[in-house]
Amino acid sequence: MSNRTLVIVNTTGRQGASLARVATAVGYNVRAHITTKLSEKDGAVAKELRQLNNIELVQGSLEDQKLISKLFVGARKAFINTISWGDEVAIGKALADAAKKAGVQHYVYSSMPDHAVFGRGWPSLPLWSCKFTVENYIRQIGLPATFVYTGIYNNNFTSLPFPLFCMKLQPNGGFQWTAPFNPDKKLPWLDAEHDVGPAVLQIFKDGLAKWSGHRIGLAYENLTPKEVCAAFSRGLQRPCSYKRGPVTIEVPIPSGYRSQLEGIEELFGKHEAPYFGPDIQAPDEALRLWEGYRGMEEYAREVFPLEEAANGLTWMR
């Protein structure tokens, strides 16, 4: 059964949880890593994962070398999506080393671009450039891998006062989204909960013969901010408008995320750089992996109100 063992790192995240659901459903034995630092925050997701068949939860810090050394033993496939749990570059390199030592045959790594490498005066985004550094290390050590670059999550939107993707409730019952993006410039979008899992599963099915060393732009719609708001209007049957403006921070956020937001405002607001850089396009390859995606209008109609209700909001009543 070892060839049906799939390791997932950060299984309580949207990408990892999406893959765990579909992989267990088709018979993979999923070894699902969850970190202790996320256990309370993501308790509901962890509880859901425990109810899946064919899943083994491995809980612990990715700074624990003993845990990492055992994580990939007997596995032939792995999906890795790290976040800022510590030194993300050191963690990413350690995971890659352990996977190579264990003989993992197909390693799918969720990466992102470092726009500074393109030589156009674009800044690096701190939470993305570390992933690009790890991607290059994976290539250097010869680990057989594919790299997915995810678009902006549809699921980022909320009416809570979080920065960048706040759909602020208006007195007329509608919403207004304020962000630094050009209102008429298209951006790539992805429903991570719905679509990452089926797409990554198809990458494993196609195998390295098709995707070895390849970067895939994983996004299913290219929409301008105005088109996003139009989709929300249709889905919710409420007015929704877009206003171009600076990122506003009304709630406490980690200092690292503040730097990321400042970089986003400069990179995509001031420079209007392509989201994935100039070399990666979407959605053609994503659609070849998975055609049953959930678009923005469907998300707004069927999912956004449920996520809002789960956050204790009542505007949809």
Side-chain angles (χ1 to χ4, degrees):
M1 295 295 290
S2 62
N3 64 341
R4 299 293 290 176
T5 298
L6 167 62
V7 172
I8 302 175
V9 168
N10 187 15
T11 318
T12 50
R14 292 190 187 274
Q15 295 183 40
S18 179
L19 178 58
R21 293 182 190 107
V22 297
T24 55
V26 299
Y28 276 96
N29 298 309
V30 171
R31 187 176 299 152
H33 168 262
I34 57 176
T35 179
T36 53
K37 292 182 180 179
L38 292 180
S39 58
E40 291 185 6
K41 175 183 175 183
D42 295 307
V45 178
K47 183 178 179 180
E48 176 195 358
L49 293 174
R50 291 187 188 97
Q51 296 172 349
L52 296 175
N53 295 321
N54 308 320
I55 194 164
E56 171 196 1
L57 293 182
V58 179
Q59 189 172 24
S61 169
L62 290 178
E63 295 179 316
D64 182 347
Q65 293 298 317
K66 291 182 179 179
L67 182 146
I68 289 180
S69 67
K70 296 177 181 178
L71 190 60
F72 299 99
V73 173
R76 295 295 175 262
K77 297 178 175 66
F79 174 74
I80 311 299
N81 177 34
T82 56
I83 59 175
S84 300
W85 291 310
D87 186 337
E88 190 169 351
V89 171
I91 289 171
K93 290 180 175 181
L95 287 167
D97 288 338
K100 185 176 182 181
K101 183 177 180 179
V104 169
Q105 296 174 354
H106 196 171
Y107 194 84
V108 177
Y109 179 73
S110 184
S111 188
M112 287 304 280
D114 181 353
H115 282 75
V117 305
F118 298 112
R120 303 189 185 186
W122 296 336
S124 293
L125 296 182
L127 301 186
W128 288 12
S129 59
C130 56
K131 295 181 182 295
F132 188 73
T133 298
V134 173
E135 175 187 332
N136 285 333
Y137 181 77
I138 292 167
R139 294 179 185 276
Q140 291 166 9
I141 66 172
L143 182 60
T146 305
F147 305 94
V148 293
Y149 284 48
T150 56
I152 305 171
Y153 292 2
N154 299 355
N155 321 76
N156 283 341
F157 285 110
T158 176
S159 65
L160 293 170
F162 297 146
L164 196 58
F165 294 104
C166 175
M167 281 284 184
K168 189 172 183 179
L169 188 64
Q170 301 297 297
N172 65 355
F175 294 91
Q176 183 178 75
W177 174 32
T178 301
F181 309 119
N182 183 324
D184 298 307
K185 186 175 179 64
K186 291 185 180 296
L187 298 165
W189 297 91
L190 168 72
D191 191 309
E193 293 271 6
H194 189 269
D195 298 321
V196 169
V200 172
L201 204 62
Q202 189 62 44
I203 292 171
F204 285 130
K205 184 177 180 180
D206 291 343
L208 292 165
K210 186 169 185 178
W211 300 116
S212 178
H214 198 74
R215 295 179 177 131
I216 301 171
L218 199 56
Y220 287 92
E221 291 183 303
N222 288 309
L223 302 173
T224 69
K226 287 181 179 178
E227 290 170 335
V228 168
C229 288
F232 261 76
S233 294
R234 294 191 301 270
L236 296 175
Q237 294 295 294
R238 292 168 178 249
C240 180
S241 62
Y242 178 73
K243 177 183 177 182
R244 189 175 191 178
V247 174
T248 58
I249 299 174
E250 301 178 11
V251 295
I253 60 172
S255 59
Y257 187 48
R258 183 181 293 270
S259 298
Q260 180 79 359
L261 291 171
E262 291 170 352
I264 286 173
E265 189 163 5
E266 181 179 355
L267 181 62
F268 300 121
K270 177 182 176 182
H271 294 286
E272 297 185 9
Y275 191 79
F276 294 130
D279 302 326
I280 298 176
Q281 304 297 323
D284 290 352
E285 288 186 330
L287 287 169
R288 288 201 288 273
L289 292 169
W290 166 242
E291 295 182 343
Y293 70 92
R294 183 159 62 199
M296 189 67 73
E297 182 178 344
E298 183 181 356
Y299 166 77
R301 182 176 62 250
E302 298 185 5
V303 181
F304 183 67
L306 298 178
E307 292 184 336
E308 291 280 275
N311 287 327
L313 300 164
T314 59
W315 57 261
M316 71 294 296
R317 293 179 182 172

